[in-house]
Amino acid sequence: MPLILDIAVTHIAGRGRQTLVAVIGVAVGVGFSIAMAALMQGGQDDFVRQLVDTMPHVDITDEQRTARRQPAEDMFDTVAISGLRPRDDRRGIINPTEATAWLESWIPGRYAPSLKTQGVIRYSSREVGATIIGVEPEREPGVSPIVEDFVQGSFAALAAGGNNVLVGDTMANRLGAGLGDTITAVSSQGQARNFKIAGLFHTGTTQRDESEAYVLLKNAQIVSVRPNAINEIRIKLDDPNRAPAVARRAEAELGYKAVAWQEANESILEAFVIRNVIMYTVVGAIMLVAGFGIFNIISTITHEKARDIAIMKSLGFPEADMRRLFLLEGVAIGAGGSALGWVLGFAMVYALSLVRFEIAATGQEMTHLPIAWSVLHYVIATGFAVGSAAVAGYLPACRAAMQNPVDIIRGAT
């Protein structure tokens, strides 16, 4: 084996210019593959992180996942039901105190009950449609990041009691109201109540900033005429990956629909899988192109070293050694290009991490491109490169192994 390795190094060094071009081709492919993977994985991780941070990991509502079974269906084998209308039940989650106590006894995280109702916010002669959300100020910070999104006032003002309300800055602009102004909230049941604006928040999500208003839970119950009622329990887990198991257990026990964040964003997560398949397909195509350069070099070496091959086989080298020789040359070029590609890839990823930009539409501070630093990207790119190099060197290696030394020495074709 040391002799075969020495011969392989001699062959590669003998065609220094072509070998350098092939190594650079592999290095560029590996470097760009690493940079592309780091950028795409970073964007994906950043998006998922925002999903996990901004929404509850498990959302329990007063809805049923499937329609309740009718008594007639239990009495008869064949039943046809038409014109059935669900009963108008506005109680929300039944026995909310018992439900929240049961959740608190076992969930590995935090929860917050709330009551959502649709209504209208009025100020002066203007009005906007709104979702009025009643929350408990002592529990809400544990499940919602909105406490960090205030541009005026603070979430703590809600805990002070009284008829305070927190609204989005976009809603306030549409109403022409500001901090300290008194607005009127009218629920879909026609109940009206005056509230004082104690804080303005900006989440960056237009739908929330222009349509959500937060009040104390008891005030939301009064406005919606639903005393002691809640219709949503939001759960934030210590480990977001446990959300599906927690949702299944909560739904089985409470009987209400419980949705994990993975289920709520299933289409987005599926799109990420497809995007990753496309990304690694492109990486494979880049490495395949680099492999053609290696194939060309090994084929040329095989042709030029035909007499050397004949002499080696005449001296007793088996066909396996011939295959191993030229396959080793291809893998050596791939490995050398991969090593250089690691340096190039690291430099490109580092350069991308320094790129700064500002989103003018929101006026946010300077931010950076989301970059994922992962050894796996280097390993995958190297695997593609070495694999392509091995395939590119295998065919010429097989041809070299099958050559007849007698025909070569005699000059036969």
Side-chain angles (χ1 to χ4, degrees):
M1 189 64 185
L3 178 59
I4 295 296
L5 180 60
D6 184 61
I7 297 173
V9 172
T10 302
H11 284 180
I12 294 174
R15 304 189 61 85
R17 184 177 299 176
Q18 289 189 354
T19 301
L20 180 61
V21 171
V23 169
I24 292 176
V26 174
V28 170
V30 171
F32 274 93
S33 300
I34 293 172
M36 181 174 63
L39 187 59
M40 295 186 70
Q41 184 69 41
Q44 175 178 320
D45 293 345
D46 183 67
F47 188 82
V48 172
R49 190 182 306 111
Q50 291 183 23
L51 286 179
V52 172
D53 291 343
T54 58
M55 67 182 302
H57 298 157
V58 178
D59 191 14
I60 304 174
T61 61
D62 60 348
E63 302 176 6
Q64 302 289 332
R65 190 174 289 273
T66 57
R68 293 180 179 177
R69 188 173 176 85
Q70 299 301 310
E73 295 177 299
D74 297 328
M75 295 292 297
F76 304 98
D77 294 334
T78 304
V79 177
I81 300 175
S82 62
L84 182 66
R85 297 181 60 185
R87 183 174 56 185
D88 186 15
D89 187 357
R90 300 180 59 252
R91 291 176 298 173
I93 296 177
I94 300 176
N95 297 326
T97 303
E98 180 181 351
T100 54
W102 177 75
L103 289 172
E104 189 171 12
S105 66
W106 67 272
I107 59 169
R110 304 160 301 282
Y111 74 91
S114 61
L115 177 64
K116 286 185 177 180
T117 184
Q118 299 300 317
V120 175
I121 302 294
R122 293 174 179 169
Y123 179 73
S124 185
S125 59
R126 300 180 181 180
E127 60 182 33
V128 296
T131 300
I132 303 171
I133 306 174
V135 298
E136 295 181 350
E138 64 276 8
R139 290 191 176 273
E140 191 66 18
V143 301
S144 175
I146 197 171
V147 295
E148 302 174 357
D149 296 328
F150 279 82
V151 292
Q152 293 187 50
S154 66
F155 187 83
L158 198 62
N163 293 341
N164 291 331
V165 63
L166 310 175
V167 300
D169 56 352
T170 306
M171 178 190 290
N173 291 335
R174 291 179 60 185
L175 291 171
L179 191 68
D181 291 336
T182 300
I183 60 176
T184 301
V186 183
S187 67
S188 56
Q189 287 73 40
Q191 187 75 14
R193 193 176 182 90
N194 292 330
F195 292 95
K196 179 182 178 182
I197 298 178
L200 301 176
F201 58 82
H202 179 84
T203 63
T205 304
T206 303
Q207 183 179 2
R208 297 186 62 187
D209 294 337
E210 69 180 9
S211 64
E212 287 188 354
Y214 289 82
V215 298
L216 290 175
L217 179 59
K218 63 179 182 180
N219 287 334
Q221 293 169 343
I222 293 173
V223 170
S224 60
V225 197
R226 302 171 72 176
N228 302 319
I230 62 172
N231 58 9
E232 184 178 30
I233 301 175
R234 289 159 295 149
I235 300 174
K236 206 81 166 181
L237 302 174
D238 298 331
D239 182 7
N241 294 323
R242 299 184 60 182
V246 172
R248 286 192 297 269
R249 181 177 177 182
E251 185 168 329
E253 178 68 24
L254 299 178
Y256 295 106
K257 185 177 180 180
V259 179
W261 69 270
Q262 292 95 329
E263 180 184 352
N265 300 279
E266 184 176 1
S267 59
I268 297 176
L269 297 180
E270 289 177 353
F272 283 151
V273 174
I274 296 174
R275 191 180 71 162
N276 289 336
V277 171
I278 295 174
M279 178 184 70
Y280 288 114
T281 301
V282 173
V283 171
I286 294 174
M287 294 298 103
L288 181 62
V289 172
F292 279 111
I294 299 174
F295 175 80
N296 181 54
I297 292 177
I298 304 301
S299 297
T300 304
I301 293 176
T302 303
H303 179 73
E304 292 183 348
K305 302 299 181 181
R307 289 188 175 274
D308 293 354
I309 295 171
I311 294 173
M312 291 173 64
K313 296 186 72 174
S314 300
L315 293 174
F317 283 87
E319 291 186 359
D321 281 345
M322 296 298 99
R323 284 194 297 268
R324 191 178 298 115
L325 170 63
F326 292 99
L327 183 62
L328 185 61
E329 293 176 10
V331 172
I333 295 175
S338 298
L340 185 60
W342 281 30
V343 178
L344 178 61
F346 181 85
M348 293 178 66
V349 173
Y350 181 74
L352 288 173
S353 68
L354 298 179
V355 175
R356 306 178 66 192
F357 60 93
E358 181 178 2
I359 304 176
T362 60
Q364 294 182 354
E365 295 182 357
M366 299 292 285
T367 185
H368 295 81
L369 288 173
I371 297 295
W373 297 86
S374 175
V375 176
L376 183 62
H377 298 157
Y378 295 79
V379 174
I380 291 176
T382 301
F384 274 112
V386 175
S388 300
V391 172
Y394 180 74
L395 297 178
C398 289
R399 191 178 71 176
M402 291 186 298
Q403 289 182 356
N404 191 331
V406 176
D407 293 337
I408 297 173
I409 293 173
R410 287 177 177 177
T413 59

